[in-house]
Amino acid sequence: MKKYLLLLLVAQLSFGQAGAPANPYYNGMNWTLTGINLKSALATKITTTHTITLTYAQAELAIETVDLDPSDATNTNLLLLYGFSNNLCPASSSDDKDHRRRDKSLEDAGTADPCLWNKEHTYARASGVPALGTSGPGADVHNLRACDKKRNADRDNDRFFDGSGNSFESGLLWYPGDEWKGDVARMMMYMYLRYGSQCLPTSIAQSGIPTVTNDSNMVQLFLEWNAEDPVSQYEDNRNNYLGNTSNTYAQGNRNPFIDNPYLATVIWGGPAAENRWPTVFLSSQSFISDSAVQIYPNPTNTNEIEIATEESISKLTLINVNGQIVKEIIKPIFNQNTYKINNLPQGFYFLQITAEKGNLTKKIIVN
């Protein structure tokens, strides 16, 4: 029992510290949705909350804040996308040997000096249909990263393909590097949801690579990268800054796939990515039908509900909108295929149902 309680406490702490639904950003989201329905709901969320449109100059200033190296206490060095040694610049306190960092003051101003950083449009501007330009999607900081000037030029408009090790080019294809492939995948997913057909994943990835079953625009490669390279503190810092409208160069919206990479798994399937909201999504890809479980009354005015199902239920977990477990019932005993939960406080809840055949989440309203 002590071990169980400790594990539960750790899970709750992890949930709160590493990607619980940002309150109130995700308030009102229906987490019972899956597949393309969830994709559409998230697309609406990140579009309607994108309330501040930055100019190209403002986006550049934003990069000098959001791309700071979290391990640098001086707040002077930027992490560089794709970065590793290009043998062009001497190692120094502001430009370390593998060229992952660069002093934020060393911004490219159009000179021939290669030891500078500039903006990388991770979804290349020319790959958009129409091209992204320098406003709107072309100035969306969720897609922009500080990058070594030479590495940026090497990548140019290359499409992404699979590889290993450091970033490298092969013909007109580009591998972002083991350290950065997850970042790239989550950015491509964001751009697809935010700008739709203008930023199709199939237009920025190697031609002919497999797509997913339920969405011919999404390539399996990005789902693999999303699972293989978990979210870093650097990504969290960017997301938190850009989503907070009180910040000088914020946009108001977030990248949901940074908040929880598992959202991509729920939408498109593929390898199970890191699930940062374990009390919202069970880490399983088996689901029982929504019609297999009935909840009534819902909404309820009596502080109680009844659950009716013929499925074999092993656990019921009631979660509030802040991700806190309100009730957890192990091996509930059903009477004539029904089970009653009473003494429910007023509020909005998610009921996770764990069954032998799979899992299901339903929303509950207690008036």
Side-chain angles (χ1 to χ4, degrees):
M1 177 61 73
K2 288 183 178 179
K3 182 177 181 181
Y4 172 77
L5 291 173
L6 178 60
L7 289 174
L8 179 59
L9 176 61
V10 170
Q12 290 175 326
L13 288 175
S14 298
F15 178 81
Q17 295 173 356
N23 191 16
Y25 186 79
Y26 290 107
N27 278 5
M29 281 296 300
N30 180 3
W31 298 120
T32 67
L33 297 175
T34 60
I36 301 306
N37 291 329
L38 179 57
K39 169 181 169 284
S40 298
L42 286 173
T44 299
K45 171 64 71 174
I46 65 176
T47 300
T48 57
T49 56
H50 192 171
T51 55
I52 302 172
T53 302
L54 300 178
T55 66
Y56 203 50
Q58 289 173 325
E60 197 162 287
L61 292 171
I63 288 174
E64 294 181 14
T65 297
V66 298
D67 282 359
L68 288 169
D69 183 353
S71 66
D72 177 19
T74 66
N75 286 329
T76 58
N77 290 305
L78 305 178
L79 281 182
L80 304 181
L81 184 68
Y82 315 140
F84 74 100
S85 179
N86 57 24
N87 299 318
L88 290 176
C89 307
S92 69
S93 59
S94 61
D95 182 14
D96 59 1
K97 291 181 180 180
D98 58 8
H99 292 254
R100 292 177 62 255
R101 300 196 304 172
R102 191 69 42 81
D103 191 297
K104 63 183 178 182
S105 67
L106 297 177
E107 180 188 0
D108 183 18
T111 67
D113 185 353
C115 301
L116 303 171
W117 69 270
N118 56 18
K119 297 186 296 296
E120 159 69 330
H121 291 77
T122 313
Y123 195 106
R125 283 188 289 180
S127 297
V129 183
L132 306 188
T134 56
S135 63
D140 191 323
V141 184
H142 283 295
N143 182 51
L144 299 176
R145 292 287 183 100
C147 185
D148 174 80
K149 180 179 178 179
K150 177 65 165 54
R151 301 305 294 155
N152 196 348
D154 288 345
R155 190 264 164 134
D156 194 28
N157 298 322
D158 292 347
R159 288 174 175 242
F160 294 115
F161 84 124
D162 205 9
S164 63
N166 291 323
S167 60
F168 65 91
E169 185 178 37
S170 177
L172 297 178
L173 298 174
W174 182 260
Y175 179 61
D178 293 351
E179 181 183 6
W180 300 104
K181 62 184 180 181
D183 303 52
V184 166
R186 289 180 279 274
M187 284 189 279
M188 299 306 96
M189 294 170 184
Y190 165 87
M191 292 297 283
Y192 176 35
L193 265 61
R194 175 62 185 87
Y195 300 105
S197 60
Q198 187 175 9
C199 294
L200 296 179
T202 48
S203 297
I204 198 66
Q206 181 180 12
S207 297
I209 62 176
T211 58
V212 303
T213 302
N214 67 341
D215 186 350
S216 61
N217 296 318
M218 176 54 66
V219 296
Q220 292 181 11
L221 178 63
F222 292 151
L223 301 181
E224 294 168 7
W225 286 357
N226 179 50
E228 292 167 355
D229 177 25
V231 173
S232 65
Q233 185 62 51
Y234 167 68
E235 290 178 89
D236 278 333
N237 291 349
R238 297 183 106 257
N239 215 23
N240 291 334
Y241 182 95
L242 293 173
N244 185 348
T245 54
S246 66
N247 292 326
T248 305
Y249 301 111
Q251 297 185 171
N253 64 346
R254 302 176 67 90
N255 182 337
F257 303 105
I258 292 175
D259 285 325
N260 192 1
Y262 192 69
L263 289 168
T265 309
V266 178
I267 294 172
W268 294 292
E274 175 190 15
N275 183 6
R276 306 182 82 189
W277 301 342
T279 54
V280 173
F281 295 109
L282 297 177
S283 294
S284 170
Q285 297 186 49
S286 298
F287 300 95
I288 56 177
S289 169
D290 184 78
S291 61
V293 180
Q294 303 297 320
I295 297 176
Y296 57 93
N298 189 24
T300 177
N301 298 315
T302 61
N303 302 102
E304 63 182 27
I305 58 169
E306 288 197 16
I307 303 163
T309 182
E310 294 183 358
E311 299 289 337
S312 178
I313 306 300
S314 59
K315 184 170 67 172
L316 298 170
T317 308
L318 195 68
I319 303 160
N320 66 20
V321 292
N322 293 319
Q324 298 167 316
I325 296 176
V326 177
K327 290 180 182 289
E328 189 171 56
I329 304 161
I330 308 296
K331 295 181 179 180
I333 299 174
F334 280 66
N335 182 14
Q336 295 183 335
N337 296 329
T338 62
Y339 186 88
K340 181 180 291 187
I341 300 179
N342 49 30
N343 297 322
L344 293 174
Q346 183 178 3
F348 181 96
Y349 301 92
F350 297 106
L351 179 65
Q352 282 186 348
I353 301 161
T354 305
E356 285 184 357
K357 293 182 180 179
N359 309 302
L360 177 67
T361 302
K362 283 182 171 280
K363 61 181 178 180
I364 297 171
I365 300 174
V366 181
N367 293 325

